[in-house]
Amino acid sequence: MGSMWLLYLFLAICLSFLSASAKEVIEVTSDTYRTHVSYNSGYILFYAPWCGHCKKVKPLWDELANDPDVEYEVSQVDCTADENSKIVFNNKIKGYPTIKFHHDGNLYTYPYKRRIGPLKTFAENILSGNPEVEAEKIMGGTLGFSEFLDGLQKVSPFFAISSVTLGAGLGILAVLAFYCCCVSSEAEFEEMLEKRKEEILEMRREREEKESKGLEKKRPKQG
């Protein structure tokens, strides 16, 4: 039994290393938007799948996400999805694609040509405290649990582990807790069952005694 737990833990650690090495564009929804832009720094692309200009930006966005010099996150939100309508409305998105950079609880609309060089320069200026445009308030979306965990990792080094490792750890703890509860419940159930058996046997003895006494009273006297 113990060897199985070690195997699961080993697999979880391996998955965490694999996820840490892979970089991809993050798909943001209304459930994750607010926490994502509040606790992280990076670009977010507001796009429509049918938009020709958005399709041209797709390779650029993938290149930016996998750039070894880029340490911030690269994400996108589908503005045609019904669930994301509140994000589109609150951010006053009037054209596609719209690019914004989020940092320290603020949003900055990118106004230049959609090229790697200008994108990286724009981000570096914001991160260094010298934004080229005015900051905007973060509007729309709701707090998501997974994104909340990512936010905790930004706030405290105690949570600075991969989300896969954290999820695996929580899963293992949940299984262990469930197992302990089952063992405890099983022991209590066995004890309760034994008591119940004793009660049934006692009730049966009392009933047999009453029946035997009743038979003696009904038995005719021999004279």
Side-chain angles (χ1 to χ4, degrees), residues 129-144:
N130 299 303
E132 303 171 29
V133 297
E134 293 184 1
E136 307 167 15
K137 292 183 179 180
I138 295 174
M139 302 290 290
T142 56
L143 295 177

Side-chain angles (χ1 to χ4, degrees), residues 17-223:
F17 281 115
L18 290 174
S19 63
S21 60
K23 294 180 64 177
E24 59 182 12
V25 176
I26 302 170
E27 191 70 31
V28 178
T29 66
S30 61
D31 292 332
T32 60
Y33 173 78
R34 177 66 69 86
T35 311
H36 176 75
V37 298
S38 297
Y39 288 100
N40 305 288
S41 295
Y43 274 111
I44 183 166
L45 171 70
F46 297 85
Y47 76 99
W50 49 261
C51 172
H53 294 292
C54 298
K55 294 178 181 179
K56 292 180 180 180
V57 172
K58 182 64 168 60
L60 174 68
W61 221 235
D62 292 334
E63 181 182 351
L64 183 64
N66 289 278
D67 191 310
D69 297 329
V70 172
E71 298 182 353
Y72 43 83
E73 294 180 342
V74 179
S75 60
Q76 61 186 19
V77 55
D78 182 359
C79 297
T80 64
D82 292 339
E83 62 176 1
N84 298 331
S85 59
K86 187 176 181 180
I87 300 176
V88 178
F89 176 79
N90 288 330
N91 284 280
K92 300 178 180 179
I93 305 299
K94 299 179 180 180
Y96 307 120
T98 295
I99 299 175
K100 294 178 182 287
F101 191 90
H102 51 91
H103 173 64
D104 199 22
N106 294 316
L107 284 171
Y108 303 87
T109 301
Y110 178 77
Y112 306 116
K113 292 183 178 181
R114 294 185 286 270
R115 296 177 181 174
I116 288 291
L119 282 166
K120 293 172 68 174
T121 301
F122 184 78
E124 289 169 1
N125 289 336
I126 294 175
L127 294 173
S128 62
N130 299 303
E132 303 171 29
V133 297
E134 293 184 1
E136 307 167 15
K137 292 183 179 180
I138 295 174
M139 302 290 290
T142 56
L143 295 177
F145 179 70
S146 61
E147 288 294 332
F148 174 70
L149 292 179
D150 292 337
L152 290 179
Q153 295 177 11
K154 302 292 183 181
V155 173
S156 173
F158 175 77
F159 298 97
I161 57 177
S162 100
S163 58
V164 174
T165 303
L166 181 59
L170 292 175
I172 291 173
L173 289 176
V175 172
L176 288 175
F178 177 76
Y179 176 75
C180 292
C181 290
C182 286
V183 171
S184 175
S185 300
E186 183 178 358
E188 293 177 357
F189 178 76
E190 292 292 340
E191 183 180 355
M192 181 183 66
L193 186 60
E194 290 297 327
K195 290 182 178 180
R196 183 58 179 168
K197 288 180 179 179
E198 293 178 0
E199 292 176 357
I200 293 174
L201 291 175
E202 181 65 25
M203 293 174 61
R204 183 177 297 176
R205 284 194 294 266
E206 292 179 355
R207 185 179 61 184
E208 290 177 351
E209 289 179 0
K210 290 181 179 179
E211 289 178 353
S212 62
K213 289 181 179 179
L215 290 175
E216 290 180 357
K217 290 181 179 180
K218 291 181 180 179
R219 186 176 300 171
K221 295 182 180 179
Q222 297 179 357

